[in-house]
Amino acid sequence: MNVCEFDNIAREVFAPIYPVIAEQIKQKTGITTGKCLDIGCGGGYLGIALASITELYIYLLDKSLEMLEIAASNISAAGLKTRMQTFFADVKKIPLPDQSINLIISRGSIFFWEDQQKAFEEIYRVLAPGGVAYIGGGFGSAELKKQIAARMEKDNKNWRAMMNKNIGENAPEAFTKILQNTKIAFFEINRDEAGLWILIRRRRDEM
């Protein structure tokens, strides 16, 4: 799938989920100020939705320069140039200082990380005391997931199998094994009809 095709799907088919997931992130993490990092941001749609309901300064990270160009254009169109910026980097080597980010988010990119354990370790490295990472693959609600699946399955016969692999009933166990190999002190994995999310927290007294 080329960048334009990917962005068209994100902007059109997936458009309804970003405000819903942004609100869920706000409610479940309670973090509305400080610095946020969106990993595998694509066109920046989730980050922009989150910026619109919080006071967070948001970094958009992606390893595709073409996607970051789209994200930069979307930031400008949303009038958020003073509160958002893009980073060209890989999740395995995040170009930010230790314990510098209050909230880390990522929707969908986790399934494409080449080394998930290393990625989680990098995420934890930059997570500030009291910070939360909210990472996974969700659709906001079961109804939205159903609507999107109906559209995606028309053009992609492997869609259902891919979703079962990524967020199916066996996924929590697979992610648990990976996370247990890290030094992350606290994590939880939540899976329901709308998707799967991993929450990682760094305690305020943890250095």
Side-chain angles (χ1 to χ4, degrees), residues 6-7 10 38-45 60-64 66-72 74 86 107 109:
F6 182 90
D7 185 64
D38 182 358
I39 296 171
C41 65
Y45 302 107
L60 300 181
L61 181 151
D62 206 287
K63 63 178 184 179
S64 166
E66 292 175 285
M67 290 306 314
L68 291 176
E69 289 177 3
I70 294 171
N74 290 335
T86 61
R107 188 218 165 270
S109 74

Side-chain angles (χ1 to χ4, degrees), residues 13-22 46 107 138-141 144-145 148:
V13 180
F14 284 77
I17 75 172
Y18 302 117
V20 177
I21 294 175
L46 179 57
R107 188 218 165 270
F139 295 84
S141 71
L144 284 172
K145 180 183 177 185
I148 290 170

Side-chain angles (χ1 to χ4, degrees), residues 57-157:
Y57 187 95
I58 301 178
Y59 300 100
L60 300 181
L61 181 151
D62 206 287
K63 63 178 184 179
S64 166
L65 285 171
E66 292 175 285
M67 290 306 314
L68 291 176
E69 289 177 3
I70 294 171
S73 177
N74 290 335
I75 290 170
S76 180
L80 290 167
K81 291 178 70 174
T82 60
R83 291 183 48 212
M84 301 182 76
Q85 70 181 88
T86 61
F87 267 116
F88 174 59
D90 191 287
V91 65
K92 297 194 302 296
K93 191 173 183 181
I94 300 172
L96 292 169
D98 293 356
Q99 300 185 19
S100 60
I101 302 296
N102 306 99
L103 176 64
I104 299 174
I105 63 173
S106 181
R107 188 218 165 270
S109 74
I110 185 173
F111 311 113
F112 301 95
W113 296 350
E114 296 172 357
D115 186 335
Q116 291 177 331
Q117 180 176 331
K118 176 62 177 174
F120 281 125
E121 290 169 346
E122 267 293 272
I123 286 166
Y124 200 61
R125 177 185 68 78
V126 301
L127 193 62
V132 182
Y134 193 94
I135 297 162
F139 295 84
S141 71
E143 182 58 32
L144 284 172
K145 180 183 177 185
K146 182 179 179 181
Q147 292 174 14
I148 290 170
R151 293 188 64 178
M152 294 300 294
E153 286 175 347
K154 291 180 180 179
D155 299 319
N156 186 347
K157 295 180 180 180

Side-chain angles (χ1 to χ4, degrees), residues 1 3 16 24 29 36 47 56 63 65 77 79 94 115 132 134 175-176 179 192 196 199-200:
M1 185 180 298
V3 168
Q24 291 171 348
T29 68
C36 172
L56 288 159
K63 63 178 184 179
L65 285 171
I94 300 172
D115 186 335
V132 182
Y134 193 94
F175 284 121
T176 296
L179 286 158
D192 58 25
L196 179 147
L199 271 73
I200 296 170

